[in-house]
Amino acid sequence: MRFFSFAWNWIKQPQQWHGSEGIPVRILEQLYYTGLSLIIAALIAIPLGILIGHTGRGAVLVVNIANAWRAIPTLALLVLLTIWLGFSVLAWLTPLVVLGIPPILVNVYEGVAGVDPELRDAARGMGMTPWQQVRKVEVPVAMPLIVLGLRTGAIFVVATATIAAYIGLGGLGRYIIDGLAVNNYGEVAGGALFVVLLALAVQALFVGVRRAVVPKGLRQQGRTS
Amino acid sequence: MDWSAVPGLTWESAYLGIVPALIGLVVSLPLGIACARWRWLYGPVLSATSVLYALPSLALFIVLIPYTGLTDTTVIIPLTLFSLCVLVPAVVDGMRSVPDPVRQAATAMGFGTLRRLVQVELPVAVPIVIAGLRVAMVSSISLASVGQLIGVSSLGYLIVDGYQRDFPTEIYVGGGLLIALALVCDLLLVLLRRALTPWRPRRARREVPEVLIGQPAPAFPRGAA
């Protein structure tokens, strides 16, 4: 396992754990970029997805956007914004948010649009206002897909934030890019190992979130499709 | 700018994007068919592919460098692993989309298991499998450009070189060609689907195969991340 021995030899050096370029600071930076981007993306995508799913308007548009978005070369987007705007918050935050939105939007939309029509009828029959229908029925039923959307969005944001080190962003990607520049494979491997661990931790977090927010009645049933 | 390198780089991008999706398909077909037949297998396979999918591409490239060097293989292996996350559910959904009466009719006509699979089930599954293949191919074409950061050449070269020389035209060309390449491959797959399923109406009902939602179908593997 040569990768791990390279990574370990770098990680175990005490100087990697101190100062403004130490591993703890880089991890916090990465969490900050990822968290901020994901929150902004979610604030845009979740209400929009619920609206489109509830009304059924603009559905085709959502699916098309989601497909087109896969073709966007992340690297080109990051690099172009940096050239246009200089290295600034907008240069890295925009691509991270833009890449985070589609998976959240599509899953929220699919979740809300996929609510059993009989359930909607029942909610209306009980005299719920449209707002109550959304809040008490549609959103809870769509919760598994909403969490899935956030989780997929988080995957893309973590990956893109790592690549964004190339345009000068901090975080764990720094070790990879800086190490590659000076041919220090130990540093590169150490950075990559922490990126992998962070990505796994984020996934585990979403498994936990899913347990916490998915209504009890939906937990045991596998989605049949 | 120097156009002489462009055809070669475009070819390299096509190669790095298409090969992983095709290898992914070759792996996913038996795996997906097995998962559709033995349901207990699907959960663990899905967990494994979604964990792999969560790992940032750049970090995976780095992990592989000590074993496969700075070669195409280092880029192709991670992209192949990513494609499984889309392709395995696509094959499973495709197999499940075969109506039971169709299956029974084939058996009643004396088809054995293998012949039924090849002549009846797989052809019926084609549209959903190809929908998954489109997603996998478009994403890997775009992701392959990240390989440039570890020195594996593709159209990503134009993006990186344009950035280093502060020459946006080169980035427009690189990014534009990547998107064009993805669209061309996508179109070819649509044509392939039409050729393979001549019995389907040209304008199919609006259907969003699960694979387009962003991640696997019953995408909530219990237990693992």
Side-chain angles (χ1 to χ4, degrees):
Chain A
M1 299 315 278
R2 266 189 292 165
F3 168 76
F4 290 102
S5 62
F6 273 114
W8 178 246
N9 282 330
W10 180 79
I11 290 167
K12 73 181 182 194
Q13 294 165 7
Q15 69 266 32
Q16 313 305 354
W17 293 88
H18 301 290
S20 62
E21 294 186 355
I23 292 167
V25 175
R26 292 298 189 207
I27 290 178
L28 287 178
E29 283 174 347
Q30 185 99 4
L31 287 174
Y32 166 68
Y33 307 139
T34 311
L36 182 66
S37 314
L38 196 66
I39 288 169
I40 297 176
L43 287 178
I44 298 170
I46 292 181
L48 199 60
I50 292 174
L51 184 73
I52 295 170
H54 181 73
T55 61
R57 278 180 211 159
V60 179
L61 190 69
V62 168
V63 175
N64 285 334
I65 288 176
N67 287 338
W69 142 89
R70 290 172 207 280
I72 299 174
T74 316
L75 194 58
L77 194 62
L78 284 166
V79 159
L80 269 182
L81 279 167
T82 312
I83 287 195
W84 288 339
L85 309 170
F87 180 72
S88 60
V89 174
L90 276 182
W92 61 264
L93 192 58
T94 315
L96 291 185
V97 171
V98 166
L99 288 166
I101 287 176
I104 306 177
L105 183 61
V106 175
N107 280 292
V108 173
Y109 156 72
E110 284 290 337
V112 173
V115 173
D116 190 342
E118 287 182 12
L119 218 52
R120 283 173 204 271
D121 282 350
R124 202 176 319 142
M126 285 173 70
M128 287 191 185
T129 62
W131 172 241
Q132 282 174 326
Q133 290 168 32
V134 168
R135 200 170 54 86
K136 291 191 172 168
V137 177
E138 293 175 8
V139 168
V141 172
M143 204 47 101
L145 275 178
I146 295 177
V147 177
L148 174 67
L150 288 171
R151 180 176 137 181
T152 314
I155 292 176
F156 285 98
V157 173
V158 169
T160 312
T162 312
I163 296 170
Y166 182 68
I167 58 160
L169 192 65
L172 293 165
R174 273 268 53 83
Y175 295 129
I176 298 180
I177 300 296
D178 293 345
L180 282 171
V182 296
N183 262 325
N184 177 357
Y185 185 73
E187 183 179 3
V188 176
L193 184 64
F194 275 101
V195 170
V196 166
L197 291 176
L198 186 92
L200 292 176
V202 170
Q203 291 305 294
L205 175 77
F206 276 100
V207 172
V209 168
R210 196 179 117 73
R211 290 236 169 89
V213 301
V214 171
K216 217 190 232 167
L218 292 172
R219 255 175 242 166
Q220 281 313 314
Q221 112 201 5
R223 236 157 46 97
T224 46
S225 53
Chain B
M1 65 176 275
D2 178 19
W3 289 91
S4 61
V6 171
L9 293 173
T10 309
W11 164 250
E12 189 65 17
S13 264
Y15 177 76
L16 290 177
I18 294 170
V19 168
L22 293 184
I23 302 177
L25 183 65
V26 170
V27 176
S28 297
L29 277 175
L31 203 56
I33 291 169
C35 286
R37 185 147 305 168
W38 299 291
R39 286 178 152 267
W40 56 267
L41 192 62
Y42 195 28
V45 168
L46 216 49
S47 307
T49 55
S50 47
V51 167
L52 286 172
Y53 189 71
L55 305 177
S57 51
L58 184 57
L60 280 187
F61 297 158
I62 303 291
V63 172
L64 287 174
I65 288 178
Y67 312 101
T68 49
L70 298 176
T71 59
D72 289 353
T73 318
T74 306
V75 172
I76 288 174
I77 292 175
L79 297 187
T80 304
L81 294 176
F82 291 159
S83 77
L84 296 183
C85 187
V86 180
L87 287 171
V88 172
V91 174
V92 173
D93 286 351
M95 294 297 289
R96 285 182 182 167
S97 75
V98 181
D100 271 336
V102 171
R103 221 174 248 136
Q104 287 153 3
T107 310
M109 285 173 72
F111 281 34
T113 312
L114 187 67
R115 184 158 172 230
R116 191 182 70 186
L117 180 70
V118 174
Q119 293 193 340
V120 178
E121 291 170 316
L122 285 179
V124 173
V126 159
I128 298 183
V129 174
I130 290 199
L133 195 58
R134 289 170 64 189
V135 172
M137 204 172 271
V138 168
S139 338
S140 60
I141 288 172
S142 147
L143 271 179
S145 60
V146 175
Q148 189 65 47
L149 295 183
I150 58 159
V152 174
S153 258
S154 65
L155 286 169
Y157 171 78
L158 297 179
I159 297 169
V160 167
D161 194 56
Y163 177 65
Q164 282 167 355
R165 295 171 22 191
D166 207 0
F167 181 42
T169 314
E170 211 178 345
I171 306 172
Y172 299 142
V173 172
L177 282 174
L178 273 171
I179 293 175
L181 187 65
L183 290 179
V184 169
C185 290
D186 197 50
L187 186 68
L188 288 177
L189 286 176
V190 172
L191 294 176
L192 179 70
R193 188 201 66 209
R194 285 199 184 149
L196 288 177
T197 55
W199 58 85
R200 273 167 61 96
R202 275 281 163 108
R203 290 194 161 275
R205 282 175 299 117
R206 180 196 162 268
E207 50 185 328
V208 185
E210 298 279 354
V211 288
L212 295 186
I213 301 178
Q215 259 205 333
F220 322 112
R222 262 166 226 93

